[in-house]
Amino acid sequence: MKKLILTMMAVTLLLVGCGAKKEEAVNVPVSEIMNAIKEKGEYAMGFEEINLKQDTDTAGKLNIDPASIEEGMLLRAMINIRADEIIILKAQDASKIEDLKKALDDEIANLDQIWSTYLPQEYEKVQHHIIKQQGNYLILIVADNPETLEKIFMDKLAPDSK
């Protein structure tokens, strides 16, 4: 009887010890992700970077409530001859994610309307945009190689990246 109880206790301890690991929330500054994207995408000259938490006018034009984000950055061309636009947001909490996704969808609809009749090669970038969510982070990518920039975003937010 004692052996049975000891065996059951050992099995219980083993099962508890081998339980599923809780995934840690990744906390990466949005500026770190944006810097990696700027470097890979060669966005140095002719682009402006806007902090959406501080620039409430620009955030408002994008339908983003600054109170719903912890951090947010926008990278776009200063002269309206390139459609490239990257928005990275870190939601204040999970309840804000749907509103932020809608804001990014609205921005794509806006870009679609602007570029559909302007420059065809730039409009193609808009058509092949990527909107991605990873945890409380969201990204909108309008660029020549959006998959490459999406990979940088995902790699920076991978739990083992820190």
Side-chain angles (χ1 to χ4, degrees):
M1 187 68 159
K2 281 186 177 182
K3 281 186 180 181
L4 180 62
I5 293 173
L6 288 174
T7 304
M8 287 175 56
M9 286 177 62
V11 169
T12 303
L13 287 173
L14 193 64
L15 289 174
V16 170
C18 295
K21 288 195 292 184
K22 184 179 179 189
E23 196 172 300
E24 291 183 33
V26 178
N27 189 14
V28 180
V30 167
S31 60
E32 184 179 317
I33 301 168
M34 186 63 85
N35 288 337
I37 285 174
K38 284 189 328 191
E39 184 179 305
K40 184 67 175 182
E42 299 174 4
Y43 293 111
M45 300 277 296
F47 284 84
E48 65 180 333
E49 195 173 308
I50 299 169
N51 182 324
L52 297 172
K53 189 73 174 169
Q54 295 172 352
D55 187 338
T56 56
D57 288 340
T58 300
K61 290 176 186 168
L62 295 168
N63 296 322
I64 295 171
D65 177 7
S68 64
I69 58 174
E70 237 180 81
E71 297 177 76
M73 297 193 84
L74 164 66
L75 181 71
R76 67 177 174 200
M78 291 193 313
I79 300 172
N80 209 10
I81 57 169
R82 289 186 66 175
D84 296 59
E85 187 170 301
I86 298 163
I87 300 173
I88 304 174
L89 305 171
K90 182 179 181 188
Q92 194 69 266
D93 58 58
S95 69
K96 308 292 185 195
I97 290 173
E98 286 308 312
D99 290 340
L100 296 173
K101 277 185 187 177
K102 183 175 179 340
L104 297 180
D105 287 336
D106 291 348
E107 178 61 5
I108 283 299
N110 182 45
L111 292 174
D112 189 84
Q113 185 178 25
I114 292 168
W115 292 100
S116 65
T117 58
Y118 188 39
L119 297 172
Q121 70 276 16
E122 295 300 309
Y123 181 52
E124 193 170 313
K125 291 179 190 178
V126 175
Q127 290 178 310
H128 295 100
H129 73 277
I130 292 176
I131 295 176
K132 186 79 173 187
Q133 177 199 347
Q134 180 68 21
N136 281 355
Y137 293 83
L138 295 113
I139 190 167
L140 165 85
I141 306 168
V142 176
D144 284 321
N145 298 306
E147 297 83 9
T148 303
L149 303 182
E150 176 189 19
K151 183 174 178 352
I152 293 168
F153 175 75
M154 296 304 288
D155 288 349
K156 284 286 185 185
L157 295 175
D160 56 355
S161 68
K162 283 286 171 184

